[in-house]
Amino acid sequence: MILFDLPKLKAEIADLENQQNQEGFWENQNLAKTVSSRLAALSAKVGAYEKARDSFKDVEEMLKEVEPNDEEMLELISSIEEDLGKECEELRHKLLFSGEHDALNCTLEIHAGAGGTEAQDWANMLLRMYGRYCERNDFKLQVLDIEEGEEAGIKSATIKISGTDAYGHLKSEKGVHRLVRISPFDAAARRHTSFASVNVVPEFGAISDIVIDPKDLRVDTYRSGGAGGQNVNKVSSAVRITHLPTGIVVQCQIERSQLMNKATCMSMLNDLLMQRKINERNAKLKSVVGEQKDIEWGSQIRSYVFQPYTMVKDHRTSFETGDVNGVMDGNLNPFIYAFLEMEARSNEGK
């Protein structure tokens, strides 16, 4: 069961609106972005509820007055009821995004597993899949860093995804993804299994209380290998930052300015350290941080089978489909909502 506390939501909306009206609020861009994102998410939930409520009241009033033989009115009521069903389904989906960090933007990382070209090609296919997913769902995607494979595909990629409930949508993708197919790189046309890992981190922004000591950082600069013209390769604008106490490494090469790349790296490092702090502070937030697993057989959250049959199956929810092409073209919502509903059931009574 999904709980909906309308007075509580309205009270939080009023509080967020009051924050926006405070003097100097908009001068703090990180805080403004965090508050605005949360406000938009809550307002969308209340709006969906009120829309469904009003449609239900309309049907109730019409049913009181309609005559049994008034076919035109009965058809109208039937049409409104059909719309009401869609509105209720939309509301149910919105209410699934109730996690503490669901409303935040996020960073998604893809890493190819062992297997060279096969795994790197699979990582690139996942990158395209998430790109198409963002296009389908009106999310903004920005590539922060990408490391090309030697022959094909990518070794890794880091992308930022922005939009309403971005982390809430993408958190279910965290884990190992397994591909089974006839390899296009194998002259003998044998079947291969490839793995790639996906990690998703909320963009904590203003809600983070992390303090980073510059003495704990090693900052390296290098020439970008990505797109951007001749200037990209002439200037060492790409930045890699290593947090020495934890060993966390972040890098960005998408901006032409070394200063801007460094700022993006610091933001990513802040989010990763905040994630680590949450994990240490409260084991119940394991679902936010996720478990680190080896990129290998037996650890996958989802399998994509291209041959000898077509199937995509999520091993956590058991949801599956034979429409492999649709999934690779970004149709991930059925998997995402199945995961969120499983999560809602597990949280009942907590």
Side-chain angles (χ1 to χ4, degrees):
M1 183 176 68
I2 304 170
L3 299 178
F4 182 69
D5 191 336
L6 183 61
K8 182 179 179 181
L9 288 183
K10 287 191 171 182
E12 186 174 352
I13 288 174
D15 179 63
L16 294 172
E17 289 175 339
N18 286 335
Q19 288 187 51
Q20 287 186 332
N21 292 328
Q22 296 295 317
E23 185 176 352
F25 170 82
W26 296 102
E27 295 175 6
N28 186 334
Q29 293 186 6
N30 281 337
L31 176 62
K33 183 168 60 176
T34 301
V35 170
S36 298
S37 177
R38 178 66 176 167
L39 180 58
L42 293 179
S43 298
K45 291 177 182 178
V46 172
Y49 167 78
E50 292 177 339
K51 184 179 179 181
R53 178 199 60 193
D54 293 343
S55 295
F56 181 77
K57 288 182 177 179
D58 289 342
V59 171
E60 274 193 322
E61 292 300 319
M62 295 172 72
L63 286 173
K64 291 177 183 177
E65 301 175 4
V66 67
E67 296 293 335
N69 59 349
D70 190 343
E71 294 184 2
E72 184 176 347
M73 182 60 73
L74 289 172
E75 287 182 9
L76 177 59
I77 293 174
S78 177
S79 175
I80 295 176
E81 286 179 333
E82 184 177 342
D83 291 339
L84 176 59
K86 295 177 182 178
E87 290 164 7
C88 289
E89 183 70 5
E90 178 186 354
L91 174 61
R92 187 174 69 86
H93 283 167
K94 289 185 181 298
L95 294 181
L96 288 171
F97 300 102
S98 58
E100 182 179 357
H101 308 296
D102 283 358
L104 300 178
N105 296 332
C106 64
T107 301
L108 186 147
E109 302 172 350
I110 303 172
H111 295 275
T117 302
E118 291 287 346
Q120 291 165 17
D121 186 53
W122 173 225
N124 193 48
M125 291 166 66
L126 288 176
L127 178 61
R128 180 191 178 279
M129 180 183 77
Y130 291 122
R132 291 289 294 121
Y133 174 78
C134 289
E135 290 175 12
R136 282 170 169 255
N137 293 274
D138 297 323
F139 287 117
K140 179 183 177 182
L141 183 150
Q142 180 185 16
V143 177
L144 300 179
D145 187 74
I146 190 164
E147 185 178 359
E148 304 286 348
E150 286 90 354
E151 297 180 28
I154 59 172
K155 293 181 179 179
S156 65
T158 302
I159 58 178
K160 178 180 176 180
I161 299 173
S162 308
T164 302
D165 292 322
Y167 178 70
H169 281 85
L170 275 302
K171 65 183 179 182
S172 64
E173 299 306 296
K174 191 180 308 181
V176 176
H177 296 245
R178 168 179 170 252
L179 169 68
V180 179
R181 65 170 175 174
I182 302 297
S183 171
F185 305 101
D186 188 336
R190 290 171 294 190
R191 193 165 58 148
H192 285 246
T193 300
S194 305
F195 297 91
S197 71
V198 174
N199 191 33
V200 186
V201 182
E203 189 181 66
F204 291 103
I207 66 174
S208 171
D209 56 0
I210 294 295
V211 177
I212 300 175
D213 189 340
K215 296 178 182 178
D216 291 336
L217 304 179
R218 185 177 73 236
V219 181
D220 301 306
T221 59
Y222 58 98
R223 293 183 181 181
S224 171
Q230 295 180 350
N231 291 336
V232 172
N233 294 319
K234 287 183 178 179
V235 182
S236 297
S237 60
V239 175
R240 180 186 299 109
I241 297 179
T242 304
H243 187 248
L244 300 176
T246 62
I248 293 175
V249 179
V250 292
Q251 57 190 43
C252 181
Q253 61 173 304
I254 197 64
E255 306 290 353
R256 287 178 177 269
S257 162
Q258 184 182 120
L259 190 62
M260 293 176 69
N261 280 327
K262 184 177 180 181
T264 300
C265 281
M266 289 301 294
S267 177
M268 293 164 60
L269 177 61
N270 177 82
D271 292 338
L272 287 166
L273 290 173
M274 181 66 181
Q275 183 189 47
R276 182 186 179 98
K277 183 175 181 179
I278 287 175
N279 189 37
E280 293 173 349
R281 181 190 297 167
N282 189 350
K284 291 183 180 180
L285 285 176
K286 183 182 290 185
S287 59
V288 173
V289 181
E291 299 179 19
Q292 299 300 317
K293 296 184 177 181
D294 293 333
I295 313 176
E296 60 185 17
W297 180 274
S299 62
Q300 64 269 7
I301 62 163
R302 192 179 299 153
S303 292
Y304 307 69
V305 182
F306 288 16
Q307 284 100 8
Y309 53 89
T310 58
M311 181 192 71
V312 181
K313 180 175 182 178
D314 194 293
H315 302 290
R316 300 160 300 178
T317 65
S318 295
F319 181 86
E320 63 180 73
T321 177
D323 184 16
V324 170
N325 291 332
V327 172
M328 298 310 300
D329 199 41
N331 185 21
L332 296 175
N333 277 332
F335 289 94
I336 288 170
Y337 289 127
F339 176 85
L340 291 172
E341 289 178 0
M342 179 190 72
E343 187 178 57
R345 288 193 298 270
S346 68
N347 290 332
E348 286 181 14
K350 290 185 179 180

